């Protein structure tokens, strides 16, 4: 079954159920469907943006890798006839350039990830500002929260209370 067929059947079924319900439950069902649709659209947009950004990062990475490889090959061909010291210098420069490209790609991918995560969190808060169930950190043990704060490199985490750890993690 295709996604479109499934969505059509689901929508028809929900419409039929909504028609059979009394006014108040039908209105509540309509509200929930609207919220779910808006959330889906927001998340789908964020995922689409993320996919496009990741494609851009991939293209830039591929181009940068080809540039580094091309530069390395030319450098090796040039230094092949030179002394051993000249070859070592060229290899060192190539590694440094590759490291810079890798760092730049990592930083851009991290920014894209953080932007997408922020967009999803904003979408959740837009639909339900009181929604704590999106993370459920209140149900985590303090040691698990501390481990998560360590992964996120939260400063001052060793002296934080459970509530402070939750706030610090959510701010990331």
């Amino acid at each position: 079954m295709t996604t479109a067929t499934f969505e059509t059947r689901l929508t028809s079924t929900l419409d039929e159920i909504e028609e059979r319900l009394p006014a108040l439950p039908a209105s509540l069902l309509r509200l929930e469907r609207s919220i779910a649709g808006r959330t889906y659209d927001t998340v789908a947009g964020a995922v689409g943006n993320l996919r496009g950004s990741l494609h851009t990062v991939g293209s830039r990475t591929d181009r940068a890798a080809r540039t580094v490889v091309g530069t390395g090959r030319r450098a090796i061909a040039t230094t092949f006839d030179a002394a051993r010291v000249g070859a070592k210098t060229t290899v060192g420069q190539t590694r440094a350039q590759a490291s810079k490209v890798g760092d730049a790609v990592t930083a851009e991918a991290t920014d894209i990830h953080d932007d997408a995560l922020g967009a999803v969190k904003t979408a959740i808060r837009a639909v339900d500002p009181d929604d704590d169930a999106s993370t459920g950190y209140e149900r985590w043990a303090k040691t698990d929260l501390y481990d998560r704060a360590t992964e996120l490199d939260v400063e001052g985490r060793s002296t934080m209370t459970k509530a402070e750890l939750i706030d610090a993690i959510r701010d990331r």
Side-chain angles (χ1 to χ4, degrees):
M1 176 184 306
T2 67
T3 303
T5 304
F6 176 76
E7 287 177 9
T8 302
R9 288 182 62 196
L10 179 62
T11 299
S12 296
T13 302
L14 288 172
D15 287 343
E16 289 174 18
I17 291 170
E18 192 175 314
E19 287 174 14
R20 290 186 208 148
L21 290 173
L24 180 59
S27 295
L28 290 173
L29 178 58
R30 172 59 60 194
L31 174 62
E32 290 297 326
R33 289 174 68 189
S34 295
I35 290 169
R38 184 169 208 163
T39 301
Y40 175 82
D41 292 344
T42 301
V43 171
V47 168
N49 290 340
L50 178 61
R51 185 179 349 157
S53 296
L54 289 175
H55 176 73
T56 300
V57 168
S59 297
R60 289 178 182 172
T61 301
D62 182 56
R63 192 176 323 119
R66 280 188 268 130
T67 299
V68 169
V69 169
T71 301
R73 284 182 180 162
R74 285 188 299 276
I76 290 170
T78 300
T79 59
F80 188 72
D81 296 329
R84 181 170 277 238
V85 173
K88 287 181 182 180
T89 301
T90 301
V91 170
Q93 291 172 347
T94 302
R95 284 185 180 157
Q97 181 64 29
S99 177
K100 286 180 185 177
V101 169
D103 292 345
V105 168
T106 299
E108 187 169 342
T110 299
D111 289 345
I112 290 167
H113 173 268
D114 291 346
D115 290 347
L117 183 60
V120 170
K121 286 180 179 180
T122 300
I124 290 170
R125 283 191 295 272
V127 172
D128 185 0
D130 297 325
D131 180 49
D132 285 335
S134 61
T135 58
Y137 287 128
E138 288 75 14
R139 293 186 296 265
W140 287 30
K142 184 175 180 182
T143 56
D144 295 332
L145 291 167
Y146 180 84
D147 291 344
R148 181 65 179 140
T150 301
E151 290 172 5
L152 296 173
D153 197 26
V154 172
E155 292 184 19
R157 62 187 170 268
S158 62
T159 60
M160 290 183 179
T161 65
K162 181 176 179 178
E164 290 170 331
L165 284 170
I166 291 170
D167 289 340
I169 291 168
R170 284 193 175 135
D171 287 343
R172 289 293 172 134

